[in-house]
């Protein structure tokens, strides 16, 4: 069985992520989307449990996709899941540079793991979870950027968590 892990923080999941999940699901027998703790990101908008739940809700149409969470080393998680592949989504060249270095490091750690890069559809190349959070912060409309089935919940969480203050207005 060809099994792949697609790790990320997914805070929140975007249509770009969904595009990568869908395309990976055609390439592999099973895709395990795993919400990982990202030590480089201090404060998450959603808990790990909420992110897992939102991704599950947004991916019900992908029968060979499993959603879980994990804290620890990616190679250990892959070994535990009997996954031979890591899927990484790329939006731009800057993503490639970062992900390429990570893939080389992973190869040094575990020669049996292969990293597969999937370019997101150009419609989503501008999307990032941090960009969505920033739009929410300033009261922006995220329609067409996150899966429609979870958009309302993302907007409500932003509004009630202090992420979305009232719009800043300068009177002159």
């Amino acid at each position: 069985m060809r099994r792949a892990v697609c790790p990320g923080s997914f805070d929140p999941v975007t249509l770009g992520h969904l595009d990568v999940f869908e395309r990976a699901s055609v390439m592999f027998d099973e895709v395990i989307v795993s919400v990982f703790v990202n030590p480089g990101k201090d404060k998450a908008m959603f808990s790990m449990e909420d992110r897992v739940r939102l991704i599950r809700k947004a991916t019900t149409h992908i029968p060979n996709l499993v959603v879980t969470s994990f804290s620890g080393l990616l190679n250990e998680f892959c070994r535990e899941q009997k996954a031979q592949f890591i899927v990484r989504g790329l939006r731009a060249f800057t993503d490639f540079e970062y992900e390429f270095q990570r893939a080389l490091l992973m190869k040094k750690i575990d020669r049996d793991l292969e990293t597969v890069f999937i370019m997101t559809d150009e419609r989503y190349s501008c999307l990032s979870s941090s960009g969505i959070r920033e739009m929410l912060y300033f009261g922006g409309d995220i329609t067409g950027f996150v899966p429609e089935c979870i958009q309302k919940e993302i907007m409500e969480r932003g509004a009630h968590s202090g992420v979305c203050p009232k719009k800043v207005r300068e009177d002159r």
Side-chain angles (χ1 to χ4, degrees):
M1 175 180 263
R2 293 170 57 96
R3 184 175 286 141
V5 170
C6 187
S9 53
F10 310 116
D11 186 38
V13 65
T14 70
L15 288 177
H17 295 130
L18 195 60
D19 175 58
V20 170
F21 302 161
E22 290 168 346
R23 292 171 48 218
S25 75
V26 175
M27 298 169 64
F28 300 99
D29 299 312
E30 184 176 60
V31 176
I32 303 164
V33 173
S34 188
V35 177
F36 271 69
V37 171
N38 186 337
K41 295 182 180 178
D42 293 340
K43 195 172 182 180
M45 183 174 166
F46 289 94
S47 69
M48 283 182 76
E49 295 79 15
D50 283 339
R51 286 180 267 165
V52 166
R53 183 180 50 74
L54 290 171
I55 296 168
R56 283 182 180 153
K57 189 174 180 180
T59 59
T60 58
H61 64 288
I62 309 173
N64 62 331
L65 188 131
V66 175
V67 185
T68 188
S69 63
F70 186 76
S71 177
L73 294 174
L74 178 57
N75 65 305
E76 290 176 2
F77 179 75
C78 290
R79 192 175 315 117
E80 180 183 295
Q81 298 299 312
K82 297 178 176 49
Q84 309 89 347
F85 302 93
I86 299 168
V87 171
R88 293 294 196 174
L90 299 176
R91 294 169 297 180
F93 188 71
T94 52
D95 285 349
F96 176 76
E97 286 181 304
Y98 175 76
E99 295 296 349
F100 182 70
Q101 288 177 352
R102 290 178 70 175
L104 290 175
L105 178 61
M106 189 58 64
K107 201 61 163 166
K108 278 230 179 261
I109 294 169
D110 191 330
R111 302 282 312 156
D112 295 328
L113 277 173
E114 291 294 337
T115 301
V116 176
F117 298 114
I118 298 178
M119 295 295 299
T120 192
D121 186 291
E122 72 275 357
R123 294 175 294 170
Y124 310 123
S125 63
C126 64
L127 294 182
S128 67
S129 294
S130 58
I132 299 301
R133 290 191 308 273
E134 186 174 329
M135 288 176 61
L136 288 170
Y137 182 86
F138 290 108
D141 182 7
I142 61 170
T143 301
F145 300 141
V146 299
E148 189 176 330
C149 63
I150 60 173
Q151 178 180 328
K152 183 178 178 186
E153 187 170 349
I154 293 170
M155 295 282 294
E156 286 174 355
R157 174 64 58 90
H160 293 96
S161 67
V163 172
C164 300
K166 291 182 180 179
K167 284 192 173 185
V168 177
R169 189 175 146 222
E170 290 183 21
D171 292 324
R172 293 182 186 225

